[in-house]
Amino acid sequence: MHDDMEQVSGIKDPVDRAKAAIDLMARYQSRVNELSRIRREAIEEAQAAGMTQAEIATRLGVSRGRVGQLASAGPPPERAFFGTDLITVSVAGMYEAGKGPDQNPSEVVTREDLNNFEHLRKLVTGMKLDAQYEVIPPAGIVNLNRHNHVVICGPRRSPIVAQVLEGDDNLRFQKDTAWHVIDQVAGKEYRSPLDEDGTAGDVGYLGRLPRLDGKGTFLYIAGIHAIGASGVVHYLENNLAELYREVRTRRFSTLISCRYDPQTLEVLESRRVTPLYRHEG
């Protein structure tokens, strides 16, 4: 920290110095937010373990009232589910309808995925995180070796994602007459109501999967159809704290079913339909 300060203060051009100071303050603020989250989570854990606020206050060397303040200050613990800094949401791109790659078409994303990004952005903004999105090209090439990364892309649109998904021994995307997901532990198939009888519902996959470089994980969301991913996002909006208490930032996978309004594509209900399958001991 001291070296950073000296480097900034040593910049000769005053405007460049001001810009460097602004950038450094943003970096430090990000760390302050994460430390506040860690502090809040630690106090909650101590209380859950049976310690009173008075006991925690004695250990910390602060007043009991201050412990109460610290227990509610800073971002909520579940913020860590997404990351610690700027979140990148990668969404699947496709060529414009009716155009192939030889016609120099624009890359477009579905209405559902743009909506998913906006919902995720609002969710993480409420926890003092920022989010940006990028479009995965139609070839499906995406860099998975990044921190703070969410991928919304079905396996049929990215061979890289499909390869990582093969490592999930619990849930598996398959296709016969239509795409579906098999719970290999329970021996049960989950098919989209859209394909079965046209009902406005779908099934989505939610998991934390390993990066290809082995140096971390990424959050993965995919529906049998695009609206299934919206169901997963709806589930996160309404169940994040509980989910985080169960899995923290460890690897897992599960399936979410949803119902939605066919006119507005607004998700009306989402629920988990399989266990939270842990991928680590």
Side-chain angles (χ1 to χ4, degrees):
M1 182 181 296
H2 180 70
D3 290 343
D4 288 340
M5 300 277 284
E6 281 197 343
Q7 184 177 359
V8 170
S9 63
I11 296 174
K12 291 184 178 180
D13 183 275
V15 177
D16 288 344
R17 193 187 320 135
K19 183 179 184 305
I22 291 169
D23 292 343
L24 186 58
M25 288 170 68
R27 274 174 45 204
Y28 284 167
Q29 186 58 53
S30 176
R31 294 177 183 179
V32 167
N33 285 338
E34 178 59 13
L35 288 169
S36 297
R37 186 205 67 80
I38 292 170
R39 180 185 62 192
R40 179 173 173 177
E41 183 174 41
I43 291 173
E44 289 184 7
E45 284 184 15
Q47 290 177 316
M51 290 186 70
T52 65
Q53 285 195 353
E55 291 171 331
I56 296 171
T58 299
R59 290 276 302 274
L60 291 179
V62 300
S63 69
R64 181 177 174 179
R66 179 59 176 155
V67 171
Q69 292 174 342
L70 296 178
S72 59
E78 58 268 23
R79 175 180 116 134
F81 188 81
F82 287 100
T84 60
D85 211 330
L86 176 67
I87 307 300
T88 298
V89 181
S90 299
V91 296
M94 62 194 79
Y95 294 122
E96 289 179 278
K99 293 187 178 181
D102 56 337
Q103 296 174 285
N104 195 28
S106 299
E107 295 173 4
V108 297
V109 299
T110 66
R111 171 184 167 190
E112 292 94 329
D113 280 345
L114 283 177
N115 190 48
N116 288 336
F117 168 72
E118 284 302 321
H119 277 266
L120 285 176
R121 185 185 62 80
K122 290 177 183 176
L123 178 59
V124 302
T125 297
M127 298 183 288
K128 298 186 178 180
L129 284 170
D130 291 325
Q132 63 183 4
Y133 84 91
E134 66 177 20
V135 179
I136 301 172
I141 305 302
V142 56
N143 176 16
L144 300 177
N145 300 330
R146 290 178 279 176
H147 296 299
N148 311 309
H149 192 197
V150 180
V151 176
I152 304 178
C153 176
R156 66 182 180 274
R157 297 200 179 277
S158 172
I160 296 175
V161 167
Q163 180 182 355
V164 175
L165 275 172
E166 288 179 1
D168 185 347
D169 295 328
N170 307 291
L171 303 171
R172 184 65 52 87
F173 279 89
Q174 287 193 4
K175 184 180 182 183
D176 43 29
T177 56
W179 281 94
H180 58 283
V181 186
I182 296 178
D183 181 335
Q184 299 187 118
V185 178
K188 184 176 180 180
E189 289 185 351
Y190 289 88
R191 295 180 178 270
S192 173
L194 274 171
D195 298 322
E196 297 291 277
D197 57 15
T199 302
D202 201 22
V203 176
Y205 178 106
L206 168 64
R208 186 178 301 280
L209 303 177
R211 288 167 29 171
L212 295 177
D213 62 3
K215 296 180 180 179
T217 60
F218 65 96
L219 196 61
Y220 179 66
I221 296 170
I224 293 178
H225 298 281
I227 195 67
S230 301
V232 173
V233 172
H234 181 273
Y235 180 82
L236 290 174
E237 288 177 303
N238 292 280
N239 300 276
L240 182 59
E242 177 187 356
L243 179 62
Y244 177 72
R245 283 194 295 270
E246 291 286 335
V247 298
R248 299 294 173 114
T249 57
R250 296 184 292 270
R251 287 167 49 194
F252 77 96
S253 60
T254 192
L255 295 184
I256 307 296
S257 72
C258 71
R259 292 189 306 106
Y260 65 94
D261 184 315
Q263 263 67 52
T264 65
L265 300 183
E266 176 188 359
V267 176
L268 306 173
E269 177 188 49
S270 60
R271 62 187 180 91
R272 184 162 56 84
V273 292
T274 67
L276 290 167
Y277 288 119
R278 273 77 168 181
H279 296 189
E280 301 168 334

